[in-house]
Amino acid sequence: MLELTRITAGYDRRALVVRDVSLSVGYGEAVGLLGPSGCGKSTLAKVAALLHRPDAGTMTLDGTVVRGWRHRAPQERRTAVGVVFQQPRLSADPRLSLRELIAQPLRSTGRRREVPARVAELAPLVGLSEELLERRPHAVSDGQLQRACLARALVLRPGLLICDEMTAMLDASTTAALVAVVETYRAESGAALLAVGHDRVLLERWCDRTVRWGERSVERVPVG
């Protein structure tokens, strides 16, 4: 499903964040990527989500070598990956209601007719009421906004879901609820998961296997 081979990436070639890192996620597999803050795992997640072009290395998605990132990636590639970031307020347009936020990917891909049914399907799944759907980000809690961001990531039914520190800012009950939503979606769709974080206990309970960020590569951590 996902193969990252000897990826080198950063935002300044004089100070690269990721150097020569390889990682794989199989079809239907849940992989946890464990590492401390600032090690580069979020940059690697952005590469995997087609949001950041690496300086070197190869990425293969669903058997095809990726040639373009961001808007240069074909639409069918971009829509195959859903991503949830750590800080929902930085990834949500403050002008949009939660309903519009969830529907945004459908509208941008020309699937407006699907909006009412898909939002109605996802809102109760992530725990959002009709009243909350009409609110804008400033009028909801971080947990409620992250619920909407997760729904947005799922709205196009991606084959790969990337959760980059998705629960880092949430309380235990909201964390458990969102992890359950992801697992329900995976069980029904067969989607793969890359969960990035620094909470080893959570990742090992959530994922089929956990890998640890190494100095020059990502190495496996035995589970159990």
Side-chain angles (χ1 to χ4, degrees), residues 120-135:
E121 177 185 358
L122 284 170
L125 183 66
V126 299
L128 292 175
S129 66
E130 282 292 317
E131 188 269 334
L132 285 173
L133 287 175
E134 301 309 319
R135 296 189 188 181

Side-chain angles (χ1 to χ4, degrees), residues 2 4 21-26 28-36 39 41-42 44-45 160-166 182-183 186 192-214 217-223:
L2 173 68
L4 297 169
V21 172
S22 298
L23 176 70
S24 65
V25 182
E29 185 181 27
V31 174
L33 176 56
L34 176 70
C39 70
K41 60 188 186 298
S42 289
L44 188 68
L160 171 64
L161 182 64
I162 298 174
C163 296
D164 182 12
E165 301 271 16
M166 178 183 75
V182 171
E183 288 311 289
R186 291 186 59 241
L193 168 70
L194 175 61
V196 177
H198 59 264
D199 185 336
R200 178 170 178 162
V201 173
L202 173 63
L203 292 181
E204 290 184 353
R205 288 179 177 176
W206 187 4
C207 301
D208 300 318
R209 62 185 175 93
T210 301
V211 295
R212 181 175 56 231
W213 191 271
S217 65
V218 173
E219 54 195 46
R220 181 163 181 172
V221 175
V223 177

Side-chain angles (χ1 to χ4, degrees), residues 3 18 24 32 42 47 50 61 90 93 99 105 108-109 111 113 129 131 134 138 140 152 163 185 198:
E3 284 282 347
V18 176
S24 65
S42 289
V47 171
L50 301 176
L61 183 63
L90 297 181
D93 188 332
R99 183 187 303 277
S108 64
T109 53
R111 298 162 61 178
R113 292 183 180 181
S129 66
E131 188 269 334
E134 301 309 319
H138 74 274
V140 299
R152 177 182 61 183
C163 296
Y185 174 74
H198 59 264

